[in-house]
Amino acid sequence: TGGTYMRFEIRKTDTMVNGAFRDEVGITTGSPLVNTHRWYEITYLFPQWISFDPVHKCIMQLNDITSLGSVEVLINIVGSKLVLWARCWPDGTAGSEIGRFYDIGTITKNVWDRVLVHYVPSLDATGPNAGIIEIWRNGQKVLLTNGNALAGGGSPLPDTYAITGITGSADINGNLISGTYVKWGIYNSAFASSTLSKSVMYFKDYRMGTAAA
C-alpha cells in the first residue's frame, strides 16, 4: 500500500483480555464538558485476503465514563458493512443497556477508507443543544444523528447525559466524571464463534481535534 501504517491482528490462539480478543491502542483525552465539539479521524484498510465475517468487529471506540454508567460510540465492521453503534448503560448495569445501530456504508477491500467522526455530547436530548454524531467517509457525509431526531418525543431526566437520545449520567455541572478516551484497532468479544482463524486490519493517519479543528 505504500507509506507508513500500523498493522493490527487477532488470532483465535490469543489470550482473551477482559472478555475479548483485542489488538488496539488508546488515548485518554481528559474529562471535557458536555456540549463540546470533538473530532476523530482514522484511515483504515481491510485487506483483500481476509474474508468478511458476520461477527461484529469494533475498529474505533469513543468512550465517556461517568459515575453511574458508560456511553460508547463505536465504529464496527459487520460482514461487508461499516456500522455505527451508539449505546450506554444508564444505571451502570448490563441489563440497563440501550443503543442504536446505523448502517454507514459498504467496505471496499484493499482500499484506504478515511472515516471522520464529529461528536458533541450533550445533556439535552432535544433543542439546539442536543447531542450530535456526524460521520464522513472519504469527504462525503454519510450520517447525521441528533437528540431531536432520536429522542422519540420523550425527554430525559434533568440529571441525565444524552447523546442522540441515549441517556447516561453526568455530574451536576455537566462534567463526564471519569474522563473520556478513544481507541482504534481490533476489538472482538465474539471472535471465538467466527469461522476465521485470524483477523487483520491496517491503520494510518489518526487525527483528533476540538471545536477549533
Side-chain angles (χ1 to χ4, degrees):
T1 57
T4 301
Y5 52 86
M6 299 176 68
R7 184 181 191 273
F8 293 82
E9 177 177 332
I10 60 172
R11 297 172 179 252
K12 281 190 173 176
T13 54
D14 293 344
T15 300
M16 297 178 72
V17 178
N18 294 329
F21 295 88
R22 59 179 82 208
D23 185 12
E24 55 191 356
V25 295
I27 297 176
T28 300
T29 59
S31 183
L33 290 170
V34 296
N35 299 116
T36 58
H37 293 256
R38 288 180 266 165
W39 299 81
Y40 303 94
E41 183 177 273
I42 58 170
T43 301
Y44 76 91
L45 183 143
F46 194 107
Q48 184 69 42
W49 49 275
I50 294 290
S51 299
F52 288 127
D53 187 351
V55 175
H56 278 239
K57 173 170 59 181
C58 181
I59 63 170
M60 185 179 186
Q61 305 175 50
L62 308 178
N63 294 267
D64 292 317
I65 308 303
T66 67
S67 60
L68 297 178
S70 173
V71 176
E72 289 189 325
V73 176
L74 311 172
I75 303 294
N76 286 0
I77 292 177
V78 185
S80 61
K81 291 289 189 177
L82 201 63
V83 176
L84 171 74
W85 184 13
R87 63 176 182 164
C88 77
W89 300 263
D91 66 5
T93 65
S96 70
E97 178 180 331
I98 52 177
R100 291 180 173 89
F101 291 92
Y102 306 90
D103 182 344
I104 53 176
T106 301
I107 295 166
T108 301
K109 288 184 178 183
N110 234 39
V111 174
W112 287 109
D113 187 9
R114 181 165 52 92
V115 179
L116 173 64
V117 180
H118 176 210
Y119 175 34
V120 184
S122 175
L123 292 169
D124 302 315
T126 60
N129 294 320
I132 295 173
I133 303 175
E134 294 180 283
I135 296 180
W136 288 258
R137 292 182 66 187
N138 302 307
Q140 180 178 355
K141 184 181 283 190
V142 295
L143 180 72
L144 167 61
T145 73
N146 57 59
N148 276 325
L150 300 176
S155 299
L157 297 173
D159 62 344
T160 58
Y161 168 94
I163 173 63
T164 66
I166 298 171
T167 59
S169 300
D171 69 12
I172 194 169
N173 297 313
N175 292 297
L176 305 178
I177 293 170
S178 299
T180 183
Y181 64 90
V182 58
K183 289 184 178 181
W184 69 97
I186 303 175
Y187 172 98
N188 195 328
S189 60
F191 193 55
S193 64
S194 171
T195 59
L196 305 180
S197 60
K198 68 178 180 179
S199 183
V200 175
M201 298 282 296
Y202 300 93
F203 291 82
K204 66 176 184 178
D205 300 337
Y206 171 73
R207 296 193 295 177
M208 180 172 63
T210 64

